[in-house]
Structure formats: structure tokens, C-alpha cells
Amino acid sequence: MNFSIVLSTQPSSFSALAYKGDLAGNIAKIGKLGFDGVELAIRDPEQLDMPFLRSVLEEHRLPVPAIGTGQAYGEEHLSFTDPDKNVRERAIERIKSHARIAGELNALVIIGLIRGRKHPDLSRETAETYFCEALKNCASSSPSVRFAIEPINRYETDLLNDVQSGLRFLERLGQDNIGLLLDTFHMNIEEPNLIESIRLARTRLFHFHVADSNRWYPGAGHIDFRSVLATLDDIDYSGFVSAEILPMPDPDSAARNTIEHMRSL
């Protein structure tokens, strides 16, 4: 099983990031700690020095399993469900730019908070239609790139909070290059049975995030990660298991404790 950890390529107000910035230094640390890959959180791909990034990744032999996009929502308020058509179009173009980078790096694109929240002026049906149309547009424009929708807990968004709603939405989309990303932190809040929900998503599971119940590193809370990994093995999951965690008690300790705990299982 391959393990990765999230690195933000740009400064961000999002707290659940063990590492931010200093690409060369942090990628070197991640490789030295024994991770098999590095997931990149990218707000704006246009601001990336791709030749430099590729050279650092190649130097440390670290693939990029996935690209996170939520900072475009968190920092710039772009979303697929904004009532303003111009904002929705900008969000679509931003995700298309993420998809171009993903194609270069053989990574998938995470669709998390970029979906936004249901605006008070919109019905739920309209919001979900906007989301569906936007994601279809992005996925159709890059058919060789995979997109993974992340069910996120109710305190962060009111659109697609659990595995069952995610699977229903995938049926509505009807595109093979769109699947799910499951995150143990969100699942611990929303899923009646975390293990059974992993099994339910089995054929559509593209990517997997780990964080403990307190969003610290695995082993710092009460989630049974031995059972989580055993279940992923049972369903023949072959993707990465990626840590999206708070930098607590400090970034290096969080990363070290993550890889040590997960390897021990």
C-alpha cells in the first residue's frame, strides 16, 4: 500500500495541511521520511513553476497521486454552485487548469470544497444541477484525467456529505472518469459505519485520505486504522492513502508519526 501526504504549493489559510510552501525543502523531507508520494494542494496552477516542480519531484522519485483544489474556494471563493454565472465559469476554468497539470503529473483532480455550499437564493435542485453541469464540463474536457468527489462533513458544506449521496451523484453524472475520494475525518462524522461505507464505495473509490478523529495524525485519536487498511486491502484498493492532517504538534512530528503509525499496521 502506498502512502502520501499533502503539501500546499502556495500559502493557504486552510489549517489541515502538514506542510506549506518551500517545495524543495518539504518534498525532500517527505521523501526522507519514507512516503511513497506527495499530494499537492494547488490554488492556482498558473502560479506554479512546473519545470522546477518536476525536477524536484524527479530528484526525490516522488509521484503525485492527486491534486487538491479547495484553496480556489477558500482563498478566492470560486465555486461550481455560486449564483453568479461568472464565478461558476471562473471555477470551471480553474479546475480545467488543474486538470492540465494533473495530466502532466499522472495525478487525479480532487473535487472538494470547490463545489461550494447551497446559496440561500438557490434551491437544492438548482445547486446540484450547477454542480453536475460544471463537473461534467471539466471531466469531458479531460477524458484521460480522473476526478474524485470528496464527501465532506456537514459543518463545511451542505452538498454531498456522505458516501451514499456521493454514489447517487456519480450515477447522475454517468462518467467513468469521475469517482469518489473518502476521508476518514469526514467519514467519522457522517458515516454510520465507516468500514461498511468503504465497502459500499469499493468500485468507485479513486483516492483515500486519512486523518484521525481530531484531524491530527493517524494514531492520535480513536479511529481504528488497522481495520481501515484491512478493508482497503479486502476491496483491492490500489490507489494511495494520503494524510491530510493538522500540523500538530508540529509539521515534522505530524508527518513522522503518520508514516510510522501507518507502516506499523
Side-chain angles (χ1 to χ4, degrees):
M1 193 165 288
N2 292 315
F3 298 105
S4 59
I5 191 167
V6 181
L7 163 64
S8 178
T9 62
Q10 293 144 345
S12 172
S13 59
F14 183 59
S15 58
L17 294 165
Y19 291 116
K20 299 179 183 180
D22 185 15
L23 294 184
N26 283 327
I27 288 173
K29 282 183 182 180
I30 289 166
K32 188 174 181 180
L33 284 167
F35 285 92
D36 305 299
V38 54
E39 179 180 321
L40 299 178
I42 302 173
R43 179 176 65 80
D44 185 355
E46 297 301 320
Q47 296 182 12
L48 276 181
D49 182 343
M50 282 301 295
F52 172 73
L53 175 60
R54 278 195 296 268
S55 70
V56 175
L57 292 169
E58 289 170 3
E59 178 184 353
H60 297 284
R61 297 185 175 88
L62 288 175
V64 177
I67 291 175
T69 62
Q71 292 175 19
Y73 174 75
E75 309 295 338
E76 300 178 57
H77 310 296
L78 300 180
S79 86
F80 287 161
T81 55
D82 195 283
D84 187 333
K85 183 179 180 180
N86 179 59
V87 174
R88 297 198 303 274
E89 289 177 346
R90 288 171 57 207
I92 291 169
E93 290 308 310
R94 181 63 58 85
I95 295 302
K96 286 181 178 180
S97 69
H98 282 100
R100 287 190 289 271
I101 297 295
E104 290 184 41
L105 297 175
N106 195 30
L108 60 79
V109 177
I110 296 171
I111 304 297
L113 287 173
I114 192 69
R115 63 177 168 272
R117 301 177 63 93
K118 189 188 81 64
H119 193 276
D121 293 340
L122 299 179
S123 68
R124 177 165 297 278
E125 181 181 356
T126 299
E128 291 189 357
T129 296
Y130 284 164
F131 183 15
C132 183
E133 291 174 348
L135 188 48
K136 274 190 170 184
N137 186 335
C138 294
S140 297
S141 296
S142 298
S144 63
V145 173
R146 297 197 303 166
F147 296 77
I149 303 170
E150 180 178 20
I152 295 175
N153 76 78
R154 73 194 77 173
Y155 305 109
E156 298 182 46
T157 182
D158 50 7
L159 295 170
L160 303 190
N161 303 122
D162 56 24
V163 169
Q164 287 194 337
S165 61
L167 289 171
R168 286 194 298 269
F169 196 70
L170 291 182
E171 289 182 9
R172 179 177 178 179
L173 288 163
Q175 295 200 210
D176 291 339
N177 64 329
I178 306 177
L180 293 182
L181 181 169
L182 301 189
D183 184 310
T184 56
F185 173 75
H186 299 299
M187 295 181 78
N188 184 61
I189 297 171
E190 298 293 345
E191 304 298 334
N193 185 311
L194 192 149
I195 298 303
E196 289 307 311
S197 292
I198 295 173
R199 294 188 184 280
L200 186 64
R202 61 187 306 158
T203 60
R204 304 308 304 272
L205 183 57
F206 283 8
H207 193 51
F208 201 85
H209 275 172
V210 289
D212 219 318
S213 52
N214 51 9
R215 216 164 194 171
W216 281 42
Y217 57 86
H222 63 247
I223 293 177
D224 179 3
F225 284 100
R226 184 180 298 279
S227 294
V228 168
L229 293 187
T231 304
L232 290 174
D233 189 51
D234 285 345
I235 66 171
D236 296 323
Y237 175 71
S238 59
F240 271 74
V241 173
S242 191
E244 186 181 60
I245 54 175
L246 291 167
M248 300 295 286
D250 59 79
D252 292 340
S253 295
R256 184 180 305 107
N257 290 338
T258 293
I259 195 66
E260 288 179 357
H261 185 70
M262 300 306 279
R263 293 288 187 208
S264 75
L265 302 179

